[in-house]
């Protein structure tokens, strides 16, 4: 069995197909792990969702911020931007099935035999492994509840800098987890989330901001984190425990596939 981890696909179905052909991916024996943001920006998000739904146990994904945004748009709680390219999903006959498929996906997956954690944006340095498991599970339970739209999706957006506290309760606690695991890039020096800066760390002049993965974390030192979300990194973290896989395919760069067993990155140039 081979384990392949793929960066932010964002509707780039053709590039994904070419990557899977390059490694002769076989769902009967291999597994494909996706760091989230399956949809938006690229031309064929519908095909990407259908592919992952069809993979069943051979496909493992976590939710990204664009995937959660799709849940809000599909329910009429948010308006889609033209650049999101979500209309084919909204009009699809199997749209309800695909949305329910997404609702069943977690914010965090773990490959314990390889000591690997996968989330969309990373793991807040304040969290140890048990906290990460507990908080992500609570969000998953909220997504599966009958009132998930009113109780969670309609309230998950905020632009206020947030910091972690065990005293957080209710939707505030769920919202911090969503924001940390799907939107995090830079943190303020006090550990609070910053939602404004999307640049590469090399271009940021502020003394108050630093990439989340440069903070001292609470996870076991032998664990690796695989994440996406931050295209400006172009796969570079300068930390062998932190594997960044978003390499901006939807922006004209390339899609990256990481072969765990070979410790190898395979890329496909954007076709756009």
């Amino acid at each position: 069995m081979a384990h392949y981890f793929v960066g932010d696909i964002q509707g780039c179905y053709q590039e994904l197909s070419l990557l899977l052909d390059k490694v002769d991916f076989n769902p009967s024996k291999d597994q494909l792990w996706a760091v989230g943001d399956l949809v938006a920006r690229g031309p064929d998000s519908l095909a990407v969702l259908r592919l992952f739904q069809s993979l069943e146990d051979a496909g493992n994904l976590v939710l990204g911020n664009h995937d959660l945004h799709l849940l809000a748009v599909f329910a009429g709680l948010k308006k889609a931007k033209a650049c999101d390219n979500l209309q084919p999903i909204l009009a699809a006959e199997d749209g309800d099935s695909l949305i329910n498929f997404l609702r069943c996906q977690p914010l965090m997956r773990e490959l314990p035999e390889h000591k690997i954690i996968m989330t969309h944006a990373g793991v807040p340095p304040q969290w140890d492994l048990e906290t990460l498991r507990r908080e992500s599970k609570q969000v998953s339970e909220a997504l599966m509840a009958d009132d998930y739209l009113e109780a969670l999706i309609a309230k998950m957006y905020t632009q206020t800098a947030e910091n972690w506290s065990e005293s957080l309760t209710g939707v505030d606690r769920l919202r911090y987890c969503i924001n940390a695991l799907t939107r995090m890039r830079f943190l303020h020096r006090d550990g609070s989330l910053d939602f404004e800066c999307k640049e590469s760390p090399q271009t940021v002049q502020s003394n108050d901001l630093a990439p989340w993965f440069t903070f001292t974390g609470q996870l076991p030192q032998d664990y690796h984190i695989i994440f996406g979300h931050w295209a400006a990194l172009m796969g570079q973290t300068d930390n062998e425990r932190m594997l960044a896989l978003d390499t901006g395919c939807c922006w004209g760069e390339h899609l990256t596939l990481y072969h765990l067993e070979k410790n190898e990155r395979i890329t496909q140039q954007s076709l756009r």
Side-chain angles (χ1 to χ4, degrees):
M1 174 191 291
H3 294 85
Y4 298 102
F5 293 78
V6 66
D8 297 38
I9 303 166
Q10 290 216 16
C12 296
Y13 177 76
Q14 285 185 286
E15 290 87 343
L16 175 62
S17 297
L18 290 170
L19 264 183
L20 296 180
D21 287 343
K22 285 182 180 182
V23 298
D24 195 24
F25 176 75
N26 184 344
S28 68
K29 62 178 182 179
D30 301 327
Q31 288 202 348
L32 181 60
W33 293 60
V35 299
D37 276 5
L38 272 65
V39 305
R41 309 302 187 194
D44 206 345
S45 295
L46 179 58
V48 175
L49 283 182
R50 285 172 172 167
L51 170 64
F52 273 87
Q53 187 180 46
S54 73
L55 287 175
E56 298 182 344
D57 292 342
N60 300 274
L61 65 99
V62 293
L63 294 172
N65 53 301
H66 283 290
D67 307 316
L68 289 168
H69 180 65
L70 171 59
L71 299 183
V73 170
F74 195 86
L77 297 174
K78 285 282 183 177
K79 290 186 177 180
K81 300 177 182 177
C83 61
D84 288 337
N85 289 322
L86 297 179
Q87 189 55 40
I89 299 174
L90 304 181
E93 292 184 359
D94 56 345
D96 287 332
S97 174
L98 294 170
I99 292 300
N100 285 327
F101 167 71
L102 277 182
R103 281 179 63 197
C104 294
Q105 306 310 313
L107 296 186
M108 183 276 284
R109 286 189 185 269
E110 191 176 353
L111 199 58
E113 63 268 32
H114 293 282
K115 293 183 169 58
I116 286 175
I117 289 166
M118 180 177 72
T119 72
H120 180 57
V123 177
Q126 301 95 324
W127 284 6
D128 59 19
L129 188 54
E130 289 307 312
T131 304
L132 173 62
R133 289 168 175 163
R134 181 188 69 232
E135 299 303 318
S136 60
K137 181 182 179 183
Q138 289 178 356
V139 172
S140 292
E141 291 172 349
L143 282 171
M144 294 305 298
D146 290 341
D147 64 347
Y148 83 102
L149 290 173
E150 300 83 5
L152 180 61
I153 299 300
K155 300 176 181 178
M156 68 180 177
Y157 295 101
T158 178
Q159 291 301 119
T160 304
E162 294 182 327
N163 210 337
W164 168 247
S165 171
E166 285 286 357
S167 65
L168 291 172
T169 59
V171 71
D172 291 335
R173 194 175 185 114
L174 298 174
R175 185 166 52 218
Y176 176 85
C177 181
I178 288 173
N179 282 322
L181 298 189
T182 72
R183 299 177 65 198
M184 179 173 62
R185 292 185 181 93
F186 287 98
L187 301 180
H188 296 278
R189 290 297 176 180
D190 65 359
S192 59
L193 301 171
D194 175 79
F195 297 129
E196 299 299 325
C197 189
K198 301 179 181 180
E199 302 174 27
S200 69
Q202 291 76 20
T203 62
V204 173
Q205 303 298 318
S206 172
N207 291 325
D208 184 49
L209 294 177
W212 66 267
F213 49 80
T214 62
F215 286 71
T216 301
Q218 305 302 313
L219 296 178
Q221 290 299 304
D222 56 349
Y223 266 69
H224 289 68
I225 300 174
I226 297 180
F227 68 101
H229 183 58
W230 199 346
L233 292 177
M234 287 304 293
Q236 303 300 314
T237 64
D238 297 324
N239 185 331
E240 63 179 11
R241 294 178 53 236
M242 308 293 174
L243 282 74
L245 294 184
D246 183 3
T247 47
C249 185
C250 69
W251 305 112
E253 294 292 342
H254 56 272
L255 189 63
T256 296
L257 193 73
Y258 174 67
H259 186 171
L260 174 62
E261 285 73 18
K262 292 184 178 181
N263 190 28
E264 178 184 12
R265 296 187 188 218
I266 304 98
T267 63
Q268 171 59 50
Q269 182 63 38
S270 171
L271 300 177
R272 295 197 294 162

